[in-house]
Amino acid sequence: MSKDFQLGAINHVGVAVPSIAKTLAHYKDVFGVEGTPVIELPTQGVKVSFVNLPTGQVELIEPLGESSPIVKFLERNPLGGQHHLCFEVDDIHEARAHMITKGVRVLGEPRIGAHGTLIIFLHPKDMGGTLIELMERADEH
Ligand code: CO
């Protein structure tokens, strides 16, 4: 029922960085905020830490291994930078089907993301230059 598709809240903004530890030290100094303990996601080739804020999170992403999908991003942006934007959806499979009917390229099959729920990514060339992550809300299933 793709006509029922409804975009949910912004869950997080993904920021690629060369070093989560250095970024967290800087955020603590400048903003007075802390990040969650770093977790490694070998299947996605990244390490992540979340900075929790009242209206959402900043997801700090550091490459894990040479074949990490964000190695090239950091080559182009050596200081790091905004990498993706994540919106919540009720049902990832419905959302995926909806995107396909709209002609938006979906990058791969739904898979488990850093929050333990299903995610997909939408091709930035179909989304005005921004890589978009859609994430199934944790409380839905
Ligand atoms: Co993300």
Side-chain angles (χ1 to χ4, degrees), residues 14-134:
V15 175
V17 297
S19 165
I20 288 175
K22 284 182 184 168
T23 304
L24 284 177
H26 187 57
Y27 273 33
K28 185 168 187 183
D29 179 41
V30 173
F31 293 143
V33 296
E34 311 256 2
T36 59
V38 175
I39 55 168
E40 297 192 351
L41 299 173
T43 57
Q44 297 189 47
V46 295
K47 301 181 203 179
V48 300
S49 169
F50 292 96
V51 177
N52 289 301
L53 299 166
T55 54
Q57 296 175 314
V58 175
E59 178 185 49
L60 298 175
I61 317 161
E62 179 185 321
L64 178 63
E66 288 303 307
S67 60
S68 171
I70 59 166
V71 165
K72 281 196 168 62
F73 182 92
L74 287 173
E75 282 171 3
R76 293 192 302 271
N77 306 276
L79 293 175
Q82 187 187 325
H83 180 260
H84 66 273
L85 192 52
C86 177
F87 298 108
E88 297 176 358
V89 297
D90 288 339
D91 183 306
I92 205 73
H93 295 95
E94 268 183 21
R96 183 175 184 279
H98 178 77
M99 293 306 145
I100 290 166
T101 65
K102 291 294 181 184
V104 172
R105 279 168 285 179
V106 175
L107 304 172
E109 293 294 319
R111 56 196 176 279
I112 299 291
H115 295 76
T117 69
L118 289 168
I119 62 165
I120 54 174
F121 283 94
L122 308 179
H123 201 299
K125 286 187 176 165
D126 296 336
M127 295 305 299
T130 298
L131 177 64
I132 303 285
E133 177 182 0
L134 297 179

